[in-house]
Amino acid sequence: MGFTAAVAGASGYAGGELLRLLLAHPNIEVGTLTAGGNAGSRLGEHQPHLLPLADRVLAETTVDNLAGHDVVFLALPHGQSGALAQQLGESVTIVDCGADFRLADPGEWERFYGSPHAGTWPYGLPEMPGGREALSGARRVAVPGCHVTAATLALFPALDAELVLPEAVAVGVTGTSGAGKSPKPHLLGSEVMGAVAPYGVGGGHRHNPEIVQNLSRVAGEPVTLNFTPVLAPMPRGILTTTSAPLRERVTTDRVRDAYQRRFGDEPFVRLLPEGTWPTTAMTLGANTTLVQVTVDEDAGRLVAIAALDNLTKGTAGGALQSANIALGLGETVGLPVAGVAP
Amino acid sequence: MGFTAAVAGASGYAGGELLRLLLAHPNIEVGTLTAGGNAGSRLGEHQPHLLPLADRVLAETTVDNLAGHDVVFLALPHGQSGALAQQLGESVTIVDCGADFRLADPGEWERFYGSPHAGTWPYGLPEMPGGREALSGARRVAVPGCHVTAATLALFPALDAELVLPEAVAVGVTGTSGAGKSPKPHLLGSEVMGAVAPYGVGGGHRHNPEIVQNLSRVAGEPVTLNFTPVLAPMPRGILTTTSAPLRERVTTDRVRDAYQRRFGDEPFVRLLPEGTWPTTAMTLGANTTLVQVTVDEDAGRLVAIAALDNLTKGTAGGALQSANIALGLGETVGLPVAGVAP
Amino acid sequence: MGFTAAVAGASGYAGGELLRLLLAHPNIEVGTLTAGGNAGSRLGEHQPHLLPLADRVLAETTVDNLAGHDVVFLALPHGQSGALAQQLGESVTIVDCGADFRLADPGEWERFYGSPHAGTWPYGLPEMPGGREALSGARRVAVPGCHVTAATLALFPALDAELVLPEAVAVGVTGTSGAGKSPKPHLLGSEVMGAVAPYGVGGGHRHNPEIVQNLSRVAGEPVTLNFTPVLAPMPRGILTTTSAPLRERVTTDRVRDAYQRRFGDEPFVRLLPEGTWPTTAMTLGANTTLVQVTVDEDAGRLVAIAALDNLTKGTAGGALQSANIALGLGETVGLPVAGVAP
Amino acid sequence: MGFTAAVAGASGYAGGELLRLLLAHPNIEVGTLTAGGNAGSRLGEHQPHLLPLADRVLAETTVDNLAGHDVVFLALPHGQSGALAQQLGESVTIVDCGADFRLADPGEWERFYGSPHAGTWPYGLPEMPGGREALSGARRVAVPGCHVTAATLALFPALDAELVLPEAVAVGVTGTSGAGKSPKPHLLGSEVMGAVAPYGVGGGHRHNPEIVQNLSRVAGEPVTLNFTPVLAPMPRGILTTTSAPLRERVTTDRVRDAYQRRFGDEPFVRLLPEGTWPTTAMTLGANTTLVQVTVDEDAGRLVAIAALDNLTKGTAGGALQSANIALGLGETVGLPVAGVAP
């Protein structure tokens, strides 16, 4: 069973990670690669680590160039996916790594993105309740934001099991690749190394309403969230520390049971053995999310921490996992479970 | 006005930072340097960056070697300070960078350190209400833990101004030097680079009760705290993100006023201009703490973030600042306000 | 065609990388894992990134535990391979990532390792002249040192084509994982980050005589080498800058031709397009070596630079590539050509 | 004795380091700060680590704004210094951190910079033979390039003592701040971390002819140099490994004697004790250069390695050291000898 895939935005970080994973996928062949300003250049100039594709020339990101593939992965700035999808038609499976079709509430979309709401597509987080069903056979997939995947997987089992009040706090420490490849002074190596730097503090990050949306769906009631993303000196990885007030005194064992019920059969999410806390280094290049949870008795809070690679499970790996489901392939096909360490 | 100072634990990270600062101090001369296992070796073997002291030979950490100085800085594992101080006598000013005399509650001491409580000394955080008065002329100083200084300075003005409920959450992202120089596998460069790693999760970190002690004193009521320290790939720096539920709707302006009243005249703590968030890189090698605060309206929480250098303001610089006060010198003498960047 | 493999030294960095690659190998099944001091513990404690093997318990490194596999990979301190190999017998394919059987000259062995010479095994660098032939069907493989692979691949084509005099200079900048997992103060993250540090200067590094051996074989005459390894703040990667005096004025084109002839058909070594220089980041986690070469006309020297991942092509990937040849499998089976970046 | 200093280019890395040092200088007061595109903004936006100057507003880089100071430090792109200097007049001491007045040979200048030669100024490397004399009372100073200071100090004593042939090889591993603050894709943190990357290979780096000029002056004959700069993942620091063929067999002792004669009385250059090799981390933020030298007997080469902080001794500290001499102040006034570590 063979499919072909086009990748739009192939010269960026998400596009590069999609290609790395597709090169190892037994059922999907890499088709046309497109770019914006980098169209016309060799992929090797932008992704020198992808040797087998080094001499591929990047085409313009146009409907014509993307048409004729079974799957199209979009790794574009937000605002472009809707028109491309409409023109590509219903028969093509489109997996959007951008934000356009993630938020259900038009008001929230407009508040955080400042442009008209495009709609919503099936949501690419199979591990959420009902997640797989929504993706099975879907022709459209909205891949979650990287911080969103980490925060959601860290906290939703506690809300689902009604262990905590719907008042969450999260701090997501992330590597720099999530900020993309467009050069800005504060992202220079000289600035980044040695710097731990918060951004989007106080509710302003665009992943904020998306986490709230996910957690509220699972909780069945509105969840408030105070989310602070923090940039750390490493290229990849997110470690998100979440907490919420316990509804009543519970043991760590009971909390672990709730998480184990959720994640015990998941191929890409693992509750670590008690006493072991996840680190970003455990997940580099793998499509995994590692989770640990405990009870802070003095503070009366549940603390759950998740680690993942923002480019793999947080973007391109998550996209491919959802594509596997959408295309009727095995969910885990072609996706690495072992990371690269040290 | 000249003083002499001995440094016990001169081959470690805190000891090295004390010496770097003392070398630039116009009123304190570096006297005897002592060590434990490294006694007998040249300082240059352990602190090759301190060229002017490279050929000093480390003495054993004994009362005899430390005696005869005006000030003794202790940078030792906990448990050793009490006996040394008693034998050195009341006339010597002793500044302890260790934990022994920080906690007032014997129960909390024993719970977190597992040994009998030694007592409490004047607390080396001049910026706290009443802090300077307690240190003026003191012959004993207990220097706060590095995470403690960051979390306390981030949050106490909000509690002092009764803006928030006494239910704090804090995530302190820290460089590796706080873990010391004793080689352990998880602190290897190969493990640390690329890894963001939580530890002491759920209330277990020894700085936890000390932050609670500080915040409760200011609040005038017990404060709960959920504190998660996180190791990041950099040698120095702490960035602590704190939050607490607002008592009522307030504007960011009012919150900033409360902080500005507290810190406006402080020589080493600065509330940054609105919209600028502190980063660890802004404080490298300086005795400063940079703070910013805002209101997360959707979540109904105040968010305050502080950045400092764990070895400077977080340990050795804070120690020297308190020593300056205790000795009757100008509080800011010999302490760098400008950091080293990039 | 299925083989089973045991890995001795599975809790170390080389062992972990072997396992990561074996997990993706279609024809080799991971058998027994052994360790020294870590025997009895779960692999997940030491290699948390290898999720599929997390619950495997490490056996003692003994002949009994290693016996019964088709292949045994040894990732042990030097001095242990010989006895194990003898007892395991001639029918087992043994691939030694250690140094014991690399050097042909007993005098050089004793000078650099201080112990009796154990002998020589077929050498695991298929890209050298005659390299593949020596490995085909071999039951013993000595995997080259990581610096050796980089320096040899950078310079041997120039010697082979008689473009340069046999007087080489090389500086190999390397990540920290080559120093292993045994905790030493100078390898602490606090020491490593921000530090570029030479070691083994002046001819003292143990990879020195091995590079000389390789280059001299190709040159057909004794080659002198001044080699300086330098530690850099990253976990993985080697970038080796080599140069040698040109025999006569030649163009960069002619030099590139000589390299292209050597590497044009190699699956894992690539001469980059003119003007593109290799970086370690291009090779992370891949079994590739990237090479570039030019002429410094003013200095009259050829300059050749190679980059590789010290744990992949430099150790475990090179080992598996040679094992593939020795076992009669396709040389490239199961080995990643695309790296992980950024 | 008080002077005032203007700094042109105050928002860049060299300008920021000049200001950090000037803040601690007892005899020079910080006057006007100027910038190009950043004129009109607060210094705190660009140099948030320089708290005492945070509210200074940057003026345009014009003669009018720079006039009226005793000293003007220029940290500008090359090509601007000549006209500014002429208009500022002979009575102002001008210290140029740029390249314009470094090279004596117009042909070499045009070959490497592609613009007409502006001339030469007294050269700001006091440690070279005759260096101090040339700077005493000078009204113009050309500060050497950062790679140049490292390579020159590493190798000139060996040439001066006629220990080696005039055929040098050097590899300079450098942090990223030397590349400046202008954002380019390859300098992004995501690209830099994990990457060791050569540039200007084969003789193309602009510091190449300047090193050759220095070494040839000392040697009294033309010196050839093969120089390869390499970017490493750290903000600051240069470690340069140099070597050259020995004229005859000499002992390491004799070589060390030659270096000790040169550097024994130098306040900012130190020959380390035998067996200790310099690292960049030993020099962070200090105006020091650490040197070590040995003999590679097998290769018949002398190997000398120097480490320094490219922004301190390599640029701003070296500039201030030369300014001290030019102004008749003590050479070491206000310059840190102890570094910041870890």
Side-chain angles (χ1 to χ4, degrees):
Chain A
M1 186 166 46
F3 297 94
T4 61
V7 174
S11 61
Y13 288 146
E17 185 72 351
L18 278 163
L19 292 172
R20 180 179 76 89
L21 297 173
L22 287 171
L23 281 171
H25 197 293
N27 305 117
I28 304 181
E29 193 184 355
V30 176
T32 302
L33 311 182
T34 77
N38 293 324
S41 58
R42 291 172 59 251
L43 187 72
E45 291 179 37
H46 310 284
Q47 314 280 14
H49 61 299
L50 301 177
L51 281 196
L53 301 171
D55 293 325
R56 287 286 196 94
V57 175
L58 293 165
E60 288 270 0
T61 300
T62 63
V63 173
D64 281 356
N65 287 329
L66 296 173
H69 299 83
D70 301 303
V71 199
V72 174
F73 290 96
L74 303 177
L76 302 171
H78 69 86
Q80 306 183 24
S81 305
L84 283 172
Q86 196 165 18
Q87 294 178 269
L88 286 166
E90 291 298 319
S91 62
V92 181
T93 300
I94 301 180
V95 182
D96 186 10
C97 296
D100 295 29
F101 295 93
R102 291 174 187 164
L103 291 185
D105 182 334
E108 288 295 89
W109 173 268
E110 283 162 28
R111 181 179 162 211
F112 280 87
Y113 290 87
S115 57
H117 189 229
T120 50
W121 284 355
Y123 194 66
L125 198 51
E127 293 86 357
M128 278 187 68
R132 278 185 184 86
E133 292 73 5
L135 291 166
S136 178
R139 290 292 164 92
R140 298 290 185 269
V141 177
V143 179
C146 52
H147 278 299
V148 181
T149 297
T152 302
L153 293 176
L155 210 45
F156 92 77
L159 288 158
D160 187 48
E162 300 186 2
L163 295 169
V164 294
L165 296 173
E167 302 163 7
V169 173
V171 173
V173 185
T174 179
T176 54
S177 57
K181 217 172 188 169
S182 178
K184 294 167 195 156
H186 77 286
L187 296 175
L188 282 173
S190 299
E191 300 292 316
V192 159
M193 292 181 285
V196 167
Y199 61 104
V201 187
H205 195 279
R206 287 172 166 176
H207 290 177
N208 208 329
E210 191 184 342
I211 305 171
V212 168
Q213 171 176 292
N214 289 350
L215 297 181
S216 299
R217 273 184 193 161
V218 174
E221 62 180 323
V223 174
T224 66
L225 170 73
N226 171 240
F227 172 58
T228 308
V230 174
L231 203 66
M234 57 185 186
R236 291 180 177 225
I238 290 180
L239 183 107
T240 303
T241 300
T242 67
S243 69
L246 289 162
R247 286 188 184 271
E248 56 185 291
R249 283 183 83 88
V250 292
T251 61
T252 292
D253 278 355
R254 186 168 145 212
V255 170
R256 287 181 53 82
D257 282 349
Y259 276 71
Q260 189 58 28
R261 271 199 307 277
R262 267 293 159 202
F263 295 143
D265 295 330
E266 285 296 338
F268 295 118
V269 185
R270 184 164 303 190
L271 180 67
L272 291 174
E274 198 166 353
T276 301
W277 289 89
T279 79
T280 55
M282 298 174 182
T283 67
L284 186 79
N287 196 48
T288 53
T289 303
L290 304 182
V291 178
Q292 186 56 285
V293 62
T294 194
V295 166
D296 181 337
E297 291 192 5
D298 285 14
R301 295 180 79 91
L302 176 147
V303 186
I305 299 185
L308 53 74
D309 183 322
N310 59 303
L311 289 182
T312 319
K313 177 62 178 163
T315 305
L320 196 47
Q321 181 185 352
S322 292
N324 280 341
I325 298 173
L327 295 169
L329 295 166
E331 181 175 340
T332 63
V333 173
L335 286 165
V337 178
V340 179
Chain B
M1 185 164 44
F3 298 94
T4 61
V7 174
S11 60
Y13 288 145
E17 185 71 351
L18 278 163
L19 292 171
R20 179 178 78 90
L21 297 173
L22 288 170
L23 281 170
H25 198 292
N27 305 118
I28 304 181
E29 195 185 354
V30 176
T32 302
L33 310 182
T34 77
N38 293 324
S41 58
R42 293 171 59 251
L43 186 72
E45 291 178 37
H46 310 285
Q47 314 280 14
H49 61 298
L50 301 176
L51 281 195
L53 301 170
D55 293 326
R56 290 284 197 92
V57 174
L58 293 163
E60 288 269 0
T61 299
T62 63
V63 173
D64 282 358
N65 287 331
L66 296 173
H69 299 83
D70 302 302
V71 200
V72 174
F73 291 95
L74 302 177
L76 302 170
H78 70 86
Q80 306 184 23
S81 305
L84 284 171
Q86 196 166 21
Q87 294 176 270
L88 285 166
E90 292 298 318
S91 64
V92 181
T93 301
I94 301 180
V95 182
D96 186 11
C97 296
D100 295 29
F101 295 94
R102 292 174 187 163
L103 291 184
D105 181 336
E108 287 294 270
W109 173 269
E110 284 162 27
R111 180 178 162 211
F112 281 87
Y113 290 88
S115 58
H117 189 229
T120 50
W121 284 356
Y123 193 68
L125 197 51
E127 293 86 355
M128 277 186 69
R132 279 187 183 83
E133 294 72 5
L135 291 166
S136 178
R139 290 295 165 89
R140 297 290 186 267
V141 177
V143 180
C146 52
H147 278 300
V148 181
T149 296
T152 302
L153 292 176
L155 211 45
F156 93 78
L159 288 158
D160 187 48
E162 300 187 0
L163 296 169
V164 294
L165 296 174
E167 302 162 8
V169 173
V171 173
V173 185
T174 180
T176 54
S177 58
K181 217 172 187 169
S182 178
K184 294 166 195 156
H186 77 285
L187 296 175
L188 282 172
S190 300
E191 301 291 317
V192 159
M193 293 181 284
V196 167
Y199 61 105
V201 187
H205 194 279
R206 285 170 167 179
H207 289 177
N208 208 329
E210 191 183 343
I211 305 171
V212 167
Q213 171 176 290
N214 289 351
L215 297 182
S216 299
R217 275 184 191 161
V218 174
E221 63 180 321
V223 174
T224 65
L225 170 73
N226 170 240
F227 172 58
T228 307
V230 174
L231 203 65
M234 58 186 185
R236 291 178 177 229
I238 290 181
L239 183 107
T240 303
T241 301
T242 68
S243 69
L246 290 162
R247 285 187 185 272
E248 55 185 292
R249 283 183 83 88
V250 292
T251 62
T252 292
D253 277 355
R254 188 171 144 211
V255 170
R256 285 181 54 84
D257 281 350
Y259 276 72
Q260 189 58 25
R261 272 198 306 278
R262 266 295 158 202
F263 296 144
D265 296 329
E266 285 296 340
F268 295 118
V269 184
R270 184 162 304 189
L271 180 66
L272 292 174
E274 198 167 351
T276 303
W277 289 88
T279 79
T280 55
M282 298 175 182
T283 67
L284 186 81
N287 196 47
T288 53
T289 303
L290 304 182
V291 178
Q292 185 55 285
V293 63
T294 196
V295 166
D296 182 336
E297 292 192 6
D298 285 13
R301 295 180 80 91
L302 176 147
V303 186
I305 300 185
L308 52 74
D309 183 322
N310 59 304
L311 289 181
T312 319
K313 177 62 177 164
T315 305
L320 196 46
Q321 181 185 351
S322 292
N324 279 342
I325 299 172
L327 295 168
L329 295 166
E331 181 176 337
T332 63
V333 174
L335 285 165
V337 179
V340 179
Chain C
M1 183 165 47
F3 297 94
T4 61
V7 174
S11 60
Y13 289 145
E17 185 72 350
L18 278 163
L19 292 172
R20 179 178 78 88
L21 297 173
L22 287 171
L23 281 170
H25 198 292
N27 306 116
I28 305 181
E29 193 185 356
V30 176
T32 301
L33 311 182
T34 77
N38 292 323
S41 57
R42 292 171 58 252
L43 186 73
E45 291 179 37
H46 310 285
Q47 313 281 15
H49 61 299
L50 301 177
L51 282 195
L53 301 171
D55 293 326
R56 289 284 196 95
V57 175
L58 293 163
E60 289 269 0
T61 300
T62 62
V63 173
D64 282 356
N65 287 329
L66 295 173
H69 299 82
D70 302 302
V71 198
V72 174
F73 291 96
L74 302 178
L76 302 170
H78 71 86
Q80 305 184 23
S81 305
L84 284 171
Q86 194 166 21
Q87 294 176 270
L88 284 166
E90 291 299 318
S91 64
V92 182
T93 302
I94 301 181
V95 181
D96 186 10
C97 297
D100 295 30
F101 296 93
R102 291 174 187 164
L103 291 184
D105 181 336
E108 287 294 90
W109 173 269
E110 283 160 30
R111 181 179 161 210
F112 280 86
Y113 290 88
S115 56
H117 190 228
T120 49
W121 285 355
Y123 193 67
L125 197 51
E127 293 86 356
M128 278 185 68
R132 279 187 183 85
E133 293 72 8
L135 291 165
S136 178
R139 288 294 164 90
R140 297 291 186 267
V141 177
V143 179
C146 51
H147 278 300
V148 181
T149 297
T152 302
L153 293 176
L155 211 45
F156 92 77
L159 288 158
D160 187 47
E162 299 187 1
L163 296 169
V164 294
L165 295 173
E167 302 163 7
V169 173
V171 173
V173 185
T174 178
T176 54
S177 58
K181 217 172 186 170
S182 179
K184 293 167 194 155
H186 76 286
L187 296 175
L188 282 172
S190 299
E191 301 293 317
V192 159
M193 292 181 285
V196 167
Y199 62 105
V201 188
H205 195 279
R206 288 171 167 177
H207 290 177
N208 208 329
E210 191 183 342
I211 304 171
V212 168
Q213 171 176 290
N214 290 350
L215 297 181
S216 300
R217 274 185 192 162
V218 174
E221 62 180 321
V223 174
T224 66
L225 170 73
N226 170 239
F227 172 58
T228 308
V230 174
L231 203 66
M234 57 184 186
R236 291 179 177 227
I238 291 180
L239 183 106
T240 303
T241 300
T242 67
S243 69
L246 289 162
R247 285 188 185 270
E248 56 187 290
R249 281 183 84 89
V250 291
T251 62
T252 292
D253 278 354
R254 186 172 145 208
V255 170
R256 285 181 54 82
D257 281 350
Y259 276 72
Q260 190 59 26
R261 272 198 306 277
R262 264 295 159 203
F263 296 144
D265 295 330
E266 285 296 338
F268 295 119
V269 184
R270 185 165 302 190
L271 180 67
L272 291 174
E274 198 166 352
T276 302
W277 289 88
T279 80
T280 55
M282 297 175 182
T283 66
L284 186 81
N287 195 48
T288 53
T289 303
L290 305 182
V291 178
Q292 185 55 285
V293 64
T294 194
V295 167
D296 182 336
E297 292 191 6
D298 284 13
R301 294 180 81 91
L302 176 149
V303 186
I305 300 185
L308 53 75
D309 182 322
N310 60 303
L311 289 181
T312 318
K313 177 60 178 165
T315 306
L320 195 47
Q321 180 185 353
S322 292
N324 280 340
I325 299 172
L327 295 169
L329 295 165
E331 181 176 338
T332 64
V333 174
L335 286 166
V337 178
V340 179
Chain D
M1 185 165 46
F3 297 94
T4 60
V7 174
S11 59
Y13 288 146
E17 185 72 350
L18 278 163
L19 292 172
R20 180 178 77 89
L21 297 173
L22 287 171
L23 282 170
H25 198 292
N27 305 119
I28 303 181
E29 193 185 355
V30 175
T32 301
L33 311 182
T34 77
N38 294 322
S41 57
R42 293 171 59 252
L43 186 73
E45 291 178 37
H46 310 285
Q47 313 281 14
H49 61 298
L50 300 176
L51 281 195
L53 301 171
D55 294 326
R56 289 285 195 94
V57 175
L58 293 164
E60 288 269 359
T61 300
T62 63
V63 173
D64 282 357
N65 287 330
L66 297 172
H69 299 82
D70 301 304
V71 199
V72 174
F73 291 96
L74 303 177
L76 301 170
H78 70 86
Q80 306 184 21
S81 304
L84 284 171
Q86 195 167 19
Q87 294 176 270
L88 285 166
E90 290 300 317
S91 63
V92 182
T93 302
I94 300 180
V95 182
D96 186 10
C97 296
D100 295 29
F101 296 92
R102 291 173 187 164
L103 291 185
D105 181 335
E108 286 295 88
W109 172 270
E110 284 161 29
R111 181 180 161 210
F112 280 86
Y113 290 88
S115 57
H117 189 229
T120 50
W121 284 357
Y123 193 67
L125 196 51
E127 293 86 356
M128 278 186 68
R132 278 186 184 84
E133 293 72 7
L135 291 166
S136 179
R139 289 293 163 91
R140 297 290 184 268
V141 178
V143 180
C146 52
H147 278 299
V148 181
T149 296
T152 303
L153 293 176
L155 209 45
F156 92 77
L159 288 158
D160 187 47
E162 299 187 0
L163 296 169
V164 293
L165 296 174
E167 302 162 6
V169 173
V171 174
V173 185
T174 179
T176 53
S177 58
K181 218 173 187 168
S182 179
K184 293 167 196 154
H186 77 286
L187 296 174
L188 283 172
S190 299
E191 300 294 316
V192 159
M193 293 181 285
V196 167
Y199 61 106
V201 188
H205 195 278
R206 287 172 166 176
H207 290 178
N208 208 328
E210 192 184 342
I211 304 171
V212 167
Q213 171 176 290
N214 290 350
L215 297 182
S216 299
R217 275 184 192 161
V218 175
E221 63 179 321
V223 173
T224 66
L225 170 73
N226 170 239
F227 172 57
T228 308
V230 175
L231 203 67
M234 59 186 185
R236 289 179 178 229
I238 292 180
L239 183 107
T240 303
T241 300
T242 67
S243 69
L246 289 162
R247 284 187 185 272
E248 56 185 291
R249 284 183 81 90
V250 292
T251 62
T252 292
D253 278 355
R254 186 170 146 212
V255 170
R256 286 181 53 83
D257 282 350
Y259 276 72
Q260 189 59 27
R261 271 198 307 277
R262 266 292 159 204
F263 296 144
D265 296 330
E266 285 296 338
F268 296 119
V269 184
R270 186 164 302 191
L271 179 67
L272 291 175
E274 199 167 352
T276 303
W277 288 89
T279 79
T280 55
M282 298 175 180
T283 67
L284 186 79
N287 196 47
T288 53
T289 303
L290 304 182
V291 178
Q292 186 56 285
V293 62
T294 194
V295 166
D296 182 337
E297 292 191 6
D298 285 13
R301 294 181 80 91
L302 175 147
V303 186
I305 299 185
L308 52 75
D309 183 322
N310 59 303
L311 289 181
T312 320
K313 178 61 176 165
T315 305
L320 196 46
Q321 181 185 352
S322 292
N324 280 340
I325 298 172
L327 295 169
L329 295 166
E331 181 175 339
T332 64
V333 174
L335 286 167
V337 178
V340 180

